[in-house]
Amino acid sequence: MDQKGYRRESFQSSTSDEDMLEIAGASLDFSMADDDPPLDREMGGFSSYNGGGMNGTSTMMDFLEEPLPGVGTYEDFNTIDWVREKSRDRDRHREITSRSKESTWALIHSVSDAFSGWLLMLLIGLLAGSLAGLIDISAHWMTDLKEGVCLAGFWFNHEHCCWKSNTTFTDRDKCPEWMSWSQLILGHGEGAFAYILNYFMYVIWALLFSLLAVLLVKGFAPYACGSGIPEIKTILSGFIIRGYLGKWTLIIKTITLVLAVSSGLSLGKEGPLVHVACCCGNILCHLFTKYRKNEAKRREVLSAAAAAGVSVAFGAPIGGVLFSLEEVSYYFPLKTLWRSFFAALVAAFTLRSINPFGNSRLVLFYVEFHMPWHLLELVPFILLGIFGGLWGAFFIRSNIAWCRRRKTTKLGKYPVLEVFVVTAITAVLAFPNEYTRMSTSELISELFNDCGILDSSKLCEYVNDFNSTKGDDLPDRAAGPGVYTAMWQLALALIMKVFITIFTFGMKVPSGLFIPSMAVGAIAGRLLGVAVEQLAFYHHDWAIFSGWCSQGADCITPGLYAMVGAAACLGGVTRMTVSLVVIMFELTGGLEYIVPLMAAAMTSKWVADAIGREGIYDAHIRLNGYPFLEAKEEFSHKTLAMDVMRPRRNDPPLTVITQDSMTVEDVETIINETTYSGYPVVVSRESQRLVGFVLRRDLIISIENARKKQDGIVSTSIIYFTDHSPPLPPSSPSMLKLRSILDLSPFTVTDQTPMEIVVDIFRKLGLRQCLVTHNGKLLGIITKKDVLKHIAQLANQDPDSILFN
């Protein structure tokens, strides 16, 4: 199976602007030629790739000594040829190794080539960490700007503004250097009119930030919207979306991510940070030839960049590597694992050096718990897991239904108006409630917090009995009026977050889902934690508490429940498991709570999977019609290759080219009358015995160059793909030999091959098409598109509704 199956996914020499697919705010052209052999047309005539680099000569074409421009690259919206790319990299490596023994300079070149991967990881980590620090600092400042301004310097956020103030600890947020808008404009901050003015300024700033974000995205980089993770998964599986990881996308996404987060919309920056890091990786790949010219090698770099993105998003380097491995990567060799770890480490170190939050932590909601949990607490933890699974399944279905409506109705034509309306509703509802007014990261930090003696939050307003306090540990206490007020405010915040996030995710601004999902779970967890805490306090003599929670003891940690709830909801939406648990315990700095996190994560995944198998990213991949073959899904149907191949019964016969009997005019007619990306080459139309496979793009480039550079090539010239020219009369025009662009070892299966095996072949080898034979005779072709359509039909889905429409 070392064959170089040339799979090309439907090549079109000219693309049509009418067939568009909306990709999270941008228009993708998937005008996919005909359904038959749209072979992954990756680009054509590949230099010496005949038979996986084994059977062909080393010249590009028989009439030219140098490779032709445009050959060996890929067109937009194509799938790469994984086998060919890996073969080319092996050939390159062998050549460098053999030359390294010839001279000192060649040895230095060999060493630098080996070191270039690590240098690239270092640069990605530095750039991703720096951008993440810039985003964190800017978003923190602009979020506070909605509520007031610092007189000591408008560039200070609220916390930094009050650092040098002489106010007491309890009044640390009310320093004279920081003035609300009502204080600045009216001279005082009390009264109904001051409240209304602050309310008005909050809404105005939110609308300004969100409108600026959506206008920048729409005008300069349509690919900068959304979280980017569904598209990153598709790109890592081998698909090409030009510009999605380009410099303009990086610049606009970085700017608009700050604006979107600062506007107060129910979204996060963690998912988009993965996109930002992958943009950094893609751009830096151009500094190194072996990554610039090889799409498979570039995808190894992008896998590592995704790990760096999660590392700076959560301050979790190990979790980032596991996230890349579990959630986004399609091909993840061992060396990529180590390089991902290095990139994530450098990115986290860079962000730590910048210290964007001033707390020597990589995230705003880092927290440490000190009290152990009891075995009986697994019951509420599992209940939180059930809640997370139910909410995850509900959110996915609701959000996909809304996004589908956006794509199929006039709503999708007015992205600016949609952002304006959702922002206005969010801001109007958020301001009266202090838990929705604050940024989502600050809310999660507040909910994770373990109440101490000096905490002035309403969540920590318990009835204190300082006689029972031992050191820094506070016993379980009766809830005071502040706690009860906080409970109903949090309940209202939960309802708002649950519903407003459905309409926010997928708008034409950068929008991540990690933080809103964690916020929903953290609110639910904190509510449950306080309820269990009060139950244990008032009923410590009950059988379930008597053995481990005596009166005056610190038994229940509500912040831990918030953390477990956050993990449960995030797992229910994304279906992450191992990487989720590792990210969460890296956030808390302790291994003691792995079991509660594992219990909640697994429960949420089981419950959510029972309702719907797809996570949010897979659901958006299917909604947008990306050619992504999910490696985690099992194909269990008993169909055969002959049931899926084309042509079907009553279809026109498969378009083929004979090896030595067709003229240039005949081949050009086939190219003009069909839109297939490649054509099987057979001995003759009568025998239908397979010789190889040739790409449409290769044929076009080769014939055009032959007409210009080879004397005697006319429309009646015979094209042959054999070693020796066929016998022709002396008066015949010059013949054109194109054997060097022929793939002599295309991947083939027999017509009786079970589709279960065919699907596995497509997944594991990254094929774009394979040919179907019977007793050595060519019967038809199966493309990646055919496989995806077949899977959709077996799942009772309309295949045309999810593929390249």
Side-chain angles (χ1 to χ4, degrees):
M1 300 228 300
D2 206 18
Q3 304 159 330
K4 66 170 220 169
Y6 246 13
R7 318 122 311 234
R8 317 244 126 188
E9 199 108 60
S10 92
F11 172 85
Q12 313 145 355
S13 54
S14 62
T15 54
S16 141
D17 285 334
E18 286 126 21
D19 297 328
M20 293 292 185
L21 170 69
E22 182 181 283
I23 159 181
S27 292
L28 295 188
D29 180 358
F30 280 122
S31 51
M32 189 111 173
D34 288 5
D35 280 341
D36 282 22
L39 314 160
D40 261 275
R41 78 274 206 183
E42 90 193 75
M43 221 58 232
F46 306 155
S47 52
S48 55
Y49 188 60
N50 278 338
M54 297 182 292
N55 303 328
T57 61
S58 60
T59 56
M60 182 61 210
M61 299 181 60
D62 293 279
F63 58 88
L64 286 177
E65 293 182 358
E66 296 182 359
L68 298 176
V71 168
T73 57
Y74 296 89
E75 291 290 342
D76 206 359
F77 309 126
N78 286 314
T79 302
I80 70 169
D81 186 338
W82 285 95
V83 178
R84 182 183 70 88
E85 294 295 308
K86 297 304 294 181
S87 176
R88 287 172 58 185
D89 185 61
R90 284 194 297 269
D91 291 342
R92 182 197 62 80
H93 183 69
R94 278 194 292 266
E95 183 180 359
I96 291 176
T97 304
S98 62
R99 287 184 178 179
S100 65
K101 302 174 183 177
E102 299 174 1
S103 67
T104 304
W105 176 249
L107 179 62
I108 294 173
H109 176 65
S110 175
V111 173
S112 67
D113 180 78
F115 180 70
S116 62
W118 295 100
L119 178 59
L120 180 55
M121 295 302 114
L122 175 67
L123 295 176
I124 290 172
L126 291 172
L127 184 55
S130 302
L131 287 177
L134 176 65
I135 290 169
D136 286 338
I137 293 170
S138 304
H140 201 175
W141 170 65
M142 292 177 67
T143 298
D144 288 346
L145 193 62
K146 292 183 298 182
E147 299 185 34
V149 68
C150 183
L151 299 181
F154 73 91
W155 55 88
F156 290 124
N157 62 40
H158 193 168
E159 182 182 0
H160 292 170
C161 185
C162 295
W163 272 357
K164 296 182 180 180
S165 174
N166 292 323
T167 54
T168 62
F169 184 82
T170 54
D171 294 330
R172 60 189 181 279
D173 291 334
K174 300 176 182 178
C175 61
E177 290 83 0
W178 179 265
M179 297 191 73
S180 67
W181 291 110
S182 62
Q183 289 174 321
L184 193 65
I185 297 172
L186 301 177
H188 62 88
E190 304 297 330
F193 190 66
Y195 180 84
I196 294 172
L197 180 60
N198 286 332
Y199 202 152
F200 176 76
M201 292 300 296
Y202 181 92
V203 174
I204 290 298
W205 278 112
L207 290 173
L208 177 64
F209 291 154
S210 62
L211 286 176
L212 188 56
V214 70
L215 290 172
L216 285 173
V217 168
K218 185 180 179 183
F220 295 97
Y223 288 156
C225 65
S227 77
I229 292 180
E231 290 73 29
I232 297 295
K233 286 188 70 170
T234 307
I235 289 170
L236 289 178
S237 74
F239 198 58
I240 288 183
I241 306 176
R242 298 285 182 210
Y244 197 83
L245 300 176
K247 59 181 181 298
W248 273 109
T249 304
L250 173 62
I251 294 169
I252 298 300
K253 186 122 189 176
T254 303
I255 296 171
T256 55
L257 179 56
V258 174
L259 292 167
V261 171
S262 305
S263 69
L265 287 167
S266 183
L267 48 82
K269 62 181 183 296
E270 281 64 21
L273 276 174
V274 176
H275 187 186
V276 167
C278 286
C279 287
C280 296
N282 183 63
I283 292 168
L284 291 171
C285 275
H286 289 81
L287 301 176
F288 303 89
T289 305
K290 75 174 180 179
Y291 295 106
R292 182 175 69 248
K293 294 186 175 181
N294 192 293
E295 293 290 347
K297 296 291 291 180
R298 186 180 302 191
R299 274 151 182 76
E300 294 179 19
V301 173
L302 296 181
S303 293
V310 175
S311 173
V312 293
F314 289 104
I318 301 173
V321 175
L322 292 176
F323 174 82
S324 180
L325 174 61
E326 178 185 355
E327 190 64 26
V328 298
S329 293
Y330 195 83
Y331 173 67
F332 203 84
L334 184 61
K335 63 181 178 182
T336 303
L337 179 70
W338 283 108
R339 288 178 177 175
S340 300
F341 181 76
F342 179 65
L345 177 67
V346 173
F349 174 78
T350 304
L351 185 62
R352 171 64 180 80
S353 301
I354 296 172
N355 194 17
F357 302 110
N359 60 359
S360 300
R361 303 296 183 187
L362 301 183
V363 288
L364 189 60
F365 43 85
Y366 182 91
V367 64
E368 289 183 353
F369 301 125
H370 304 288
M371 293 306 299
W373 57 278
H374 193 269
L375 188 62
L376 288 176
E377 289 184 276
L378 278 179
V379 175
F381 293 155
I382 290 174
L383 289 177
L384 287 172
I386 294 173
F387 170 79
L390 292 173
W391 183 78
F394 165 74
F395 174 81
I396 291 169
R397 291 197 176 188
S398 304
N399 180 252
I400 292 299
W402 178 251
C403 290
R404 185 174 287 113
R405 175 174 290 275
R406 180 189 291 127
K407 291 167 68 71
T408 56
T409 63
K410 291 183 178 180
L411 178 66
K413 298 179 181 179
Y414 305 102
V416 178
L417 179 62
E418 181 189 11
V419 171
F420 179 87
V421 171
V422 173
T423 306
I425 293 173
T426 304
V428 169
L429 294 178
F431 186 84
N433 188 339
E434 66 176 282
Y435 293 109
T436 50
R437 186 191 316 162
M438 65 176 66
S439 73
T440 314
S441 293
E442 290 175 341
L443 171 62
I444 294 173
S445 177
E446 183 99 342
L447 295 170
F448 281 8
N449 184 41
D450 186 15
C451 290
I453 297 174
L454 297 177
D455 279 309
S456 58
S457 165
K458 283 198 297 187
L459 280 171
C460 297
E461 284 189 18
Y462 290 89
V463 178
N464 287 308
D465 179 9
F466 291 105
N467 294 325
S468 62
T469 301
K470 299 176 183 177
D472 292 333
D473 293 332
L474 292 175
D476 287 345
R477 297 157 290 166
V483 174
Y484 290 112
T485 302
M487 289 300 100
W488 69 259
Q489 287 182 327
L490 284 175
L492 293 176
L494 177 64
I495 296 171
M496 176 188 164
K497 293 283 184 185
V498 162
F499 290 101
I500 204 70
T501 308
I502 293 170
F503 302 100
T504 305
F505 187 68
M507 291 197 308
K508 309 312 176 204
V509 292
S511 54
L513 193 57
F514 282 30
I515 289 297
S517 301
M518 291 176 66
V520 169
I523 294 173
R526 188 77 185 205
L527 292 173
L528 181 61
V530 172
V532 174
E533 180 189 45
Q534 294 304 300
L535 192 65
F537 176 78
Y538 286 109
H539 303 283
H540 56 85
D541 54 344
W542 284 9
I544 56 173
F545 298 119
S546 60
W548 59 282
C549 190
S550 58
Q551 187 174 13
D554 184 9
C555 310
I556 309 297
T557 307
L560 174 61
Y561 285 71
M563 185 184 73
V564 172
C569 283
L570 185 55
V573 172
T574 63
R575 309 300 162 84
M576 294 158 53
T577 51
V578 179
S579 56
L580 171 63
V581 172
V582 173
I583 287 172
M584 294 305 295
F585 88 68
E586 283 189 272
L587 279 179
T588 58
L591 300 177
E592 190 173 351
Y593 306 105
I594 283 186
V595 173
L597 291 170
M598 290 174 66
M602 288 307 302
T603 305
S604 69
K605 179 172 171 57
W606 285 334
V607 171
D609 280 348
I611 300 172
R613 297 286 298 176
E614 290 181 320
I616 187 66
Y617 302 128
D618 294 328
H620 273 272
I621 286 173
R622 184 166 60 83
L623 176 69
N624 290 323
Y626 301 142
F628 182 78
L629 265 177
E630 178 56 70
K632 301 171 187 173
E633 297 291 332
E634 292 291 333
F635 186 90
S636 56
H637 301 277
K638 295 182 178 180
T639 50
L640 302 176
M642 62 184 299
D643 301 324
V644 181
M645 73 175 190
R646 295 176 182 272
R648 308 276 177 86
R649 288 182 182 178
N650 303 323
D651 284 351
L654 188 66
T655 303
V656 297
I657 296 175
T658 57
Q659 67 175 357
D660 58 7
S661 61
M662 297 182 72
T663 64
V664 171
E665 184 178 19
D666 294 334
V667 174
E668 287 180 332
T669 300
I670 288 176
I671 291 172
N672 291 331
E673 292 180 352
T674 63
T675 51
Y676 306 143
S677 62
Y679 307 93
V681 177
V682 295
V683 174
S684 66
R685 293 186 184 278
E686 293 75 26
S687 72
Q688 290 289 305
R689 294 202 174 271
L690 182 64
V691 176
F693 192 84
V694 66
L695 296 175
R696 173 194 186 91
R697 181 178 178 83
D698 290 352
L699 284 172
I700 293 172
I701 294 176
S702 302
I703 292 172
E704 285 179 355
N705 278 272
R707 283 185 180 276
K708 295 176 183 177
K709 299 182 180 180
Q710 186 173 344
D711 295 334
I713 298 298
V714 294
S715 295
T716 55
S717 298
I718 294 293
I719 292 178
Y720 66 99
F721 297 91
T722 54
D723 281 327
H724 305 288
S725 58
L728 291 175
S731 59
S732 300
S734 298
M735 292 183 288
L736 177 57
K737 182 178 181 182
L738 296 182
R739 184 175 178 81
S740 61
I741 66 169
L742 179 66
D743 175 9
L744 290 170
S745 58
F747 206 96
T748 59
V749 296
T750 67
D751 56 337
Q752 297 299 311
T753 305
M755 275 305 295
E756 182 179 4
I757 294 176
V758 175
V759 171
D760 268 350
I761 291 171
F762 270 87
R763 284 173 176 161
K764 294 174 180 176
L765 292 184
L767 296 186
R768 287 166 303 169
Q769 89 279 328
C770 69
L771 302 174
V772 182
T773 61
H774 177 74
N775 292 337
K777 292 185 178 182
L778 179 67
L779 282 187
I781 187 169
I782 298 176
T783 69
K784 189 175 184 181
K785 181 181 177 183
D786 296 326
V787 173
L788 289 165
K789 276 191 166 186
H790 183 62
I791 292 174
Q793 287 172 332
L794 294 176
N796 296 320
Q797 298 166 358
D798 179 10
D800 293 323
S801 69
I802 63 170
L803 278 172
F804 312 149
N805 293 323

